[in-house]
Amino acid sequence: MSLPDLFNDLFDAILPPVRKRPLPAMPRRLYGYILQVSGRQQVRLCLLTLLVFPLTLAPLELQRRIVDGAIEGANLHLLLMLGGIYLAVICVHGGVKFLRNFYLDRVAEGVTRVLRKRIAHANPDAVDADEGTRQAVL
């Protein structure tokens, strides 16, 4: 097994894609459809968003401590330690934000794909779509 395949399997285990098949019956509302197709993924997205929020506030607190404690006290060791923590928090915050945005796009594309499959199966002889679009959707 190659490294990209291992990464894809790990990513699918942690943040699974939306369901692969269209729903047997369409819900009456759009939000009902989205929740039925990707309800678990929506919960994971909410949890990732809740994780991003405190990481947004941490750099501000660290900046305040760097200015108040390290610079005013002229403590080089404290300054280096807080600077390292600041760098780590910024990297973790950026990574979690990237993961959330990447997963958000993945879920949105999955919901759209399932809806397109539903429409294509409902009317397979649609003349409006070109051949490439029908082949990709089916």
Side-chain angles (χ1 to χ4, degrees):
M1 179 178 264
S2 67
L3 188 60
D5 291 336
L6 183 64
F7 178 73
N8 286 337
D9 291 344
L10 179 65
F11 187 72
D12 285 344
I14 295 172
L15 300 172
V18 297
R19 55 185 291 137
K20 305 226 186 266
R21 297 182 321 270
L23 296 174
M26 285 294 289
R28 297 187 67 120
R29 297 179 181 253
L30 178 64
Y31 291 119
Y33 169 78
I34 291 171
L35 284 177
Q36 282 186 359
V37 171
S38 65
R40 291 181 181 171
Q41 288 78 14
Q42 298 294 332
V43 170
R44 285 184 177 94
L45 282 170
C46 288
L47 293 175
L48 280 172
T49 301
L50 290 175
L51 182 62
V52 167
F53 178 69
L55 290 173
T56 303
L57 299 177
L60 297 173
E61 177 64 22
L62 283 167
Q63 288 173 4
R64 184 189 66 80
R65 288 182 186 230
I66 287 172
V67 170
D68 290 347
I71 293 178
E72 289 179 2
N75 188 347
L76 182 62
H77 177 69
L78 182 61
L79 178 62
L80 291 175
M81 184 181 71
L82 289 175
I85 293 171
Y86 181 77
L87 180 64
V89 167
I90 292 293
C91 289
V92 168
H93 178 256
V96 171
K97 235 172 129 174
F98 173 78
L99 183 67
R100 185 202 57 178
N101 290 338
F102 184 80
Y103 193 52
L104 177 69
D105 290 340
R106 183 178 182 189
V107 169
E109 289 172 4
V111 169
T112 304
R113 184 187 68 249
V114 172
L115 183 59
R116 284 183 180 175
K117 283 182 181 180
R118 172 77 178 174
I119 292 169
H121 287 295
N123 190 8
D125 297 326
V127 181
D128 297 303
D130 62 352
E131 185 65 29
T133 304
R134 283 188 303 222
Q135 290 292 332
V137 170
L138 296 175

